[in-house]
Amino acid sequence: VTSTQLNLFATSGSSLQQNWWNEASWSGWVEPAASGIGSDPVSVNLNYREHFLFALSPEGSVQKQFWDGSTWSDWSLLDFPA
């Protein structure tokens, strides 16, 4: 992820897909982490290295995933219900 990168996210069933533009080409669709979402994701960028995704789990709980500049974390549940 760079400061000028554009990220696209899409869902297919319970699978999340990501595609990014790096100023020259598209990456192609990849799965950033394990499947297991029950809603469309919400994407929040704090800066070009810190990126959060929020989505409902298949059971309806709020969960998040975090990009630290090099890898995506696994989905983790937040401590409150949706």
Side-chain angles (χ1 to χ4, degrees):
V1 176
T2 65
S3 60
T4 57
Q5 180 172 308
L6 173 66
N7 287 282
L8 298 177
F9 295 95
T11 57
S12 176
S14 67
S15 176
L16 176 68
Q17 301 290 312
Q18 178 186 18
N19 197 351
W20 62 89
W21 176 258
N22 65 8
E23 297 184 29
S25 63
W26 288 101
S27 65
W29 290 102
V30 298
E31 193 170 342
S35 297
I37 60 173
S39 70
D40 290 334
V42 173
S43 172
V44 178
N45 281 58
L46 300 178
N47 56 51
Y48 71 91
R49 280 180 286 196
E50 296 176 306
H51 193 118
F52 286 90
L53 292 176
F54 298 90
L56 295 179
S57 71
E59 298 77 32
S61 298
V62 178
Q63 59 184 0
K64 70 173 172 61
Q65 190 176 39
F66 177 73
W67 172 261
D68 65 6
S70 62
T71 59
W72 283 102
S73 69
D74 290 331
W75 286 106
S76 61
L77 294 178
L78 299 180
D79 293 333
F80 56 89

